[in-house]
Amino acid sequence: MDELLSLVMQTARDISGQLGHTVPMGRNPNDLYAFGIGTEACEEVMIKIRSSRCTECQICMQICSWTHWNEINPKRSRIMVEADWPENPSIRVCVACKDHECVSACPTGALRWDGWVRMDAGLCDSCGACVTACPVHGVEMDPATRFPLVCDTCQGDFACITWCPTKAIERSTRP
């Protein structure tokens, strides 16, 4: 497993070096802001998604699955990058919407909001109501456990942001 993580790290360095200043800068109407709770004294922070900077390397997906499952398996990631060539890729992740529609849709009460969406596996019946209810398609079902995959901001550590070589996903405080 250390070899796989080493490979991911090297890929991130390679992509950063190859891109140089070619990463589009500036504001893009496809940019998205996702909110969560940070670790610095529980300061409210946001995940800023700039799909115009995404190269579809999927390092965010790899590191997400590594962080949560100790395996590199993008299908088990809580952030999803979808190619939409020639347009910018689509980066889908829970944006912690104001109404928490996935939580409201859960018939068993397995999901709850606590700075991010948390799941009680003992209550989840894998019905997928949360997936259907998500207005931004930021919830997927884990193919291995059949439980929902919802971004938990790595409990404030934001691994995807740390590893993104192009800064397509960044951390910043809410305006």
Side-chain angles (χ1 to χ4, degrees), residues 15-107:
I15 289 170
S16 294
Q18 291 170 3
L19 290 174
H21 296 290
T22 63
V23 177
M25 302 300 278
R27 193 132 174 97
N28 184 299
N30 295 325
D31 291 353
L32 177 68
Y33 299 86
F35 302 98
I37 302 298
T39 53
E40 293 88 29
C42 292
E43 128 186 277
E44 194 168 2
V45 297
M46 96 177 131
I47 297 173
K48 183 176 186 178
I49 298 172
R50 293 184 175 169
S51 60
S52 60
R53 292 183 177 186
C54 182
T55 63
E56 301 172 32
C57 68
Q58 298 186 354
I59 289 173
C60 58
M61 295 170 63
Q62 295 172 27
I63 202 64
C64 178
S65 64
W66 179 263
T67 300
H68 290 92
W69 306 105
N70 212 24
E71 68 175 323
I72 295 178
N73 182 351
K75 291 181 180 179
R76 298 190 77 192
S77 174
R78 295 161 192 237
I79 183 169
M80 288 72 69
V81 176
E82 292 181 343
D84 191 20
W85 193 88
E87 304 298 321
N88 291 326
S90 170
I91 302 172
R92 295 184 298 116
V93 65
C94 173
V95 296
C97 58
K98 183 179 178 183
D99 296 328
H100 312 299
E101 294 179 36
C102 60
V103 173
S104 301
C106 182

